Amino acid sequence: VALNRQEKICLLGKGNSTKSKKACLKLKNHLAQTYNVEICLSQYPEHHIQLAKEQAIDCDHLIAVGGDGTINEIVNGLMTISQ
């Protein structure tokens, strides 16, 4: 997928995971050279559901940085958005 330089990318990571935080920072450093990148870290269980709904409004792309639980919450959040 070719990305437009004006597009905004949101990295959704697990706030209580050092590994996730480091991965988000590494991705941001790499992508921010070309794109507008924001990091959103969860603060409590199922927080990704809310973050995904909120960030889907402002971001062109969401990138899950975590395991299957993180992805599950993000997908659940996106599925609640009415079109």
Side-chain angles (χ1 to χ4, degrees), residues 2-10 31-38 57-61:
L3 300 177
N4 181 320
R5 291 175 188 242
Q6 305 302 318
E7 293 179 344
K8 183 175 179 182
I9 298 171
C10 183
L31 294 170
Q33 297 173 15
T34 309
Y35 306 104
N36 180 10
V37 181
E38 181 178 344
I57 295 167
D58 296 327
C59 292
D60 299 293
H61 305 280

Side-chain angles (χ1 to χ4, degrees), residues 68-79:
D68 52 351
T70 301
I71 294 168
N72 183 46
E73 287 185 20
I74 292 169
V75 169
N76 284 333
L78 294 175
M79 294 298 291

Side-chain angles (χ1 to χ4, degrees), residues 16-42:
N16 65 354
S17 167
T18 302
K19 187 176 180 180
S20 180
K21 288 178 189 176
K22 285 182 180 179
C24 282
L25 289 173
K26 188 173 183 178
L27 279 168
K28 181 177 181 174
N29 289 337
H30 178 71
L31 294 170
Q33 297 173 15
T34 309
Y35 306 104
N36 180 10
V37 181
E38 181 178 344
I39 295 176
C40 295
L41 300 174
S42 65

